[in-house]
């Protein structure tokens, strides 16, 4: 399982940085001179328009070939896309397992396709200095749907977080109207009922619940977690870190923005990070959290839950339905497992998910094409318009789905996806090519949640009522600074990871926290912060 989420620090000075959407396009002479690149482009293309090329065009695209739905030339996605837009896509298929490596090789050799999707910030950084990918911020005026969404959904801080030291950004991100939180905890509701306890709303209440479970079942570890390979405590430290106003696990970032100080601070040395470790250590010390949670396989964690040796586990919508409930049904058919809203911690009622996700780079050679403007209009329609996103996700009305009297989409009875019609003969992804991760991401909350179960929509409703995490101000490094920072980051992160486990498991007393912070300084934590804060000040001075 690949976990790709854009992580952010928990706090931000309001209004510290506001940048015009069109600042870069106004300043770039290259972006203005497009007179020879408008073949096939629409005149007056705007928000709500169906893009249709004025002549047949074709664009090469790097295609992430997923083993769950291998590429087929006969998919309706390809033919219907051409019928609607006049565009034929020429996929350069690369296996999912080799995608990042092959992408780098193709770009480095100058052989990259024109459209390069499935790129996650900051992966684009590696290709900026060579000029191999375009500064797409120069061309936002060609993309009315994306510009409209940035403005209407107040996405400017997120977009600014993508900018490089030149003030431009090189990745067209997937954008969401609201953040979609995936990960939380699943709890045995039947055990809660047995103990006369309510679903815990806070991490402190979870502690109380775990204590009661331990008292009733003393031979158990009430909480035994998964998702700890290859990142120890990957999911647990990630969601708990957000609740404490810091970052950890999958989402660990070296620098956290501190508004009171007006600068970035080193995450692994903050008081918030220490408090998070103190909470976890307490759970381990009292036998409430399985110490193997930070190292065991997912299968081991699943079996402990299935066998009644634990009652709480990390979960998302898919693992709850596909793994944990079937596991329990075999051994404990009366068990009821529910995914609870993320428990609230010192940071308050927050939604830690980002409104951005992986996006698209545009190869430099695309700029030389006579069809460049048409290509940017096409990208804008397919990935950022309501119609394009519905098409990519649901397919063709009357074939793969219908709409009821209220306008709600209903999957065709003979088509299955995410278990909605398990007995259907055909599959939306495998047989039609829709709901494909290369094309289907981002969008309105209604569209993003349109395949969700009623249970998951209730979870999202609770999470969407919480405030999203603000985005830290940009601090883009130059190429030389990035090279230096990369030399410091690995040893720093390794030390934070190792000491995190030792503190949590009681192998190192938390009374040695000051000594640990000194060890981080000796590994260049302060020099790293000086570099980041210098970059932040430079960017703020240059861009307002």
């Amino acid at each position: 399982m690949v976990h790709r989420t854009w992580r952010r620090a928990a706090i931000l000075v309001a209004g510290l940085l506001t940048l015009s959407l069109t600042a870069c396009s106004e300043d770039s002479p290259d972006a203005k001179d497009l007179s020879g690149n408008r073949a096939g482009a629409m005149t007056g293309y705007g928000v709500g328009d169906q893009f249709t090329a004025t002549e047949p065009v074709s664009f090469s695209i790097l295609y992430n070939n997923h083993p769950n739905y291998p590429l087929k030339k006969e998919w309706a996605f390809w033919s219907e896309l051409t019928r609607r837009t006049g565009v034929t896509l020429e996929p350069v298929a690369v296996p999912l397992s080799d995608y990042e490596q092959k992408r780098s090789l193709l770009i480095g050799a100058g052989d990259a396709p024109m459209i390069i999707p499935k790129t996650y910030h900051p992966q684009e950084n590696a290709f900026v200095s060579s000029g191999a990918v375009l500064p797409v911020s120069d061309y936002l005026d060609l993309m009315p749907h994306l510009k409209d969404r940035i403005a209407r959904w107040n996405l400017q801080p997120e977009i600014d977080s993508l900018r490089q030291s030149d003030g431009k950004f090189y990745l067209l991100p997937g954008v969401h109207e609201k953040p979609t939180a995936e990960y939380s905890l699943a709890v045995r509701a039947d055990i809660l009922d047995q103990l006369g306890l309510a679903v815990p709303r806070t991490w402190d209440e979870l502690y109380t619940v775990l204590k009661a479970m331990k008292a009733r079942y003393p031979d158990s570890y009430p909480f035994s977690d998964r998702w700890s390979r290859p990142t120890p405590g990957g999911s647990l430290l990630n969601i708990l870190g957000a609740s404490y106003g810091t970052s950890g696990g999958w989402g660990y970032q070296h620098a956290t923005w501190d508004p009171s100080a007006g600068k970035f601070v080193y995450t692994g040395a903050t008081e918030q990070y220490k408090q998070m470790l103190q909470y976890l250590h307490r759970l381990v010390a009292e036998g409430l959290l399985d110490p193997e949670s930070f190292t065991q396989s997912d299968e081991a964690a699943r079996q402990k839950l299935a066998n009644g040796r634990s009652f709480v586990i990390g979960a998302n919508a898919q693992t709850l339905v596909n793994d944990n409930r079937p596991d329990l049904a075999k051994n404990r058919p009366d068990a009821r497992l529910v995914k609870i809203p993320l428990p609230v911690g010192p940071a308050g009622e927050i939604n830690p998910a980002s409104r951005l996700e992986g996006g698209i780079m545009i190869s430099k050679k695309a700029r030389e094409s006579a069809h460049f403007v048409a290509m940017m209009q096409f990208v804008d329609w397919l990935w950022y318009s309501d119609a394009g996103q519905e098409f990519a996700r649901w397919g063709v009305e009357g074939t793969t789905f219908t709409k009821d009297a209220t306008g709600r989409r209903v999957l065709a009875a003979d088509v299955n996806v995410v278990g909605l019609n398990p007995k259907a003969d055909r599959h939306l992804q495998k047989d039609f090519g829709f709901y494909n991760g290369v094309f289907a991401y981002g969008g309105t909350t209604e569209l993003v949640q349109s395949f969700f179960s009623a249970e998951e929509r209730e979870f999202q409703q609770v999470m969407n009522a919480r405030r999203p995490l603000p985005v830290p101000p940009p601090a883009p490094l130059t190429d030389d600074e990035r090279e230096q920072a990369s030399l410091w980051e690995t040893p720093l992160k390794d030390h934070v990871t190792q000491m995190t486990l030792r503190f949590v498991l009681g192998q190192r007393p938390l009374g040695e926290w000051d000594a640990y912070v000194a060890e981080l300084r000796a590994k260049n934590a302060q020099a790293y912060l000086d570099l980041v804060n210098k970059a932040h000040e430079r960017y703020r001075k240059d861009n307002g």
Side-chain angles (χ1 to χ4, degrees), residues 273-385:
Y273 199 87
K274 178 183 179 182
Q275 290 175 2
M276 173 181 72
L277 301 190
Q278 288 172 325
Y279 176 84
L280 289 174
H281 171 66
R282 184 184 187 189
L283 296 188
V284 171
E286 296 184 21
L288 309 181
L289 174 62
D290 184 355
E292 294 182 356
S293 293
F294 299 91
T295 53
Q296 68 188 348
S297 67
D298 286 4
E299 181 62 27
R302 287 174 57 181
Q303 286 306 311
K304 290 174 182 178
L305 183 77
N307 295 332
R309 293 164 57 197
S310 69
F311 313 112
V312 179
I313 192 171
N316 62 26
Q318 292 187 34
T319 60
L320 180 72
V321 174
N322 296 335
D323 296 348
N324 302 131
R325 283 177 176 165
D327 290 347
L328 278 167
K330 296 174 185 177
N331 300 319
R332 287 169 166 73
D334 295 332
R336 289 188 297 112
L337 192 70
V338 297
K339 187 175 107 174
I340 67 173
L342 179 65
V344 176
E349 295 196 2
I350 51 95
N351 185 335
S354 173
R355 294 193 294 165
L356 300 187
E357 62 177 304
I360 302 161
M361 295 186 294
I362 302 296
S363 172
K364 181 182 180 181
K365 70 181 181 183
R367 177 63 180 81
E368 303 164 6
S369 168
H371 299 111
F372 174 69
V373 173
M375 188 196 75
M376 297 301 286
Q377 291 177 343
F378 166 76
V379 169
D380 178 68
W381 178 81
L382 179 57
W383 276 278
Y384 298 104
S385 75

Side-chain angles (χ1 to χ4, degrees), residues 525-539:
Q526 188 57 53
Y528 179 89
L529 284 176
D530 291 343
L531 205 64
V532 172
N533 282 310
K534 176 185 173 183
H536 161 62
E537 286 299 323
R538 179 179 62 234
Y539 188 88

Side-chain angles (χ1 to χ4, degrees), residues 151-163:
R152 282 194 298 112
W153 295 348
N154 299 313
L155 284 164
Q156 195 60 56
E158 284 92 339
I159 296 298
D160 289 341
S161 72
L162 306 178
R163 296 186 188 272

Side-chain angles (χ1 to χ4, degrees), residues 89 167 178 203 211 231 267 329 367 406 414 416 516 524 532:
L89 287 179
K178 292 184 178 180
W203 290 100
K211 286 282 283 186
T231 305
T267 302
R367 177 63 180 81
T406 67
D414 62 342
N416 182 36
Y516 155 73
N524 299 298
V532 172

Side-chain angles (χ1 to χ4, degrees), residues 17-67:
L17 180 64
T18 55
L19 295 173
S20 167
L21 280 173
T22 58
C24 292
S25 58
E26 290 172 353
D27 294 339
S28 173
D30 179 65
K32 292 180 180 179
D33 185 17
L34 294 167
S35 56
N37 309 93
R38 295 185 176 275
M42 292 176 62
T43 301
Y45 170 70
V47 175
D49 290 341
Q50 164 69 55
F51 171 77
T52 306
T54 59
E55 62 183 59
V57 293
S58 61
F59 306 124
S60 57
I61 182 170
L62 192 62
Y63 182 83
N64 188 340
N65 201 2
H66 202 293

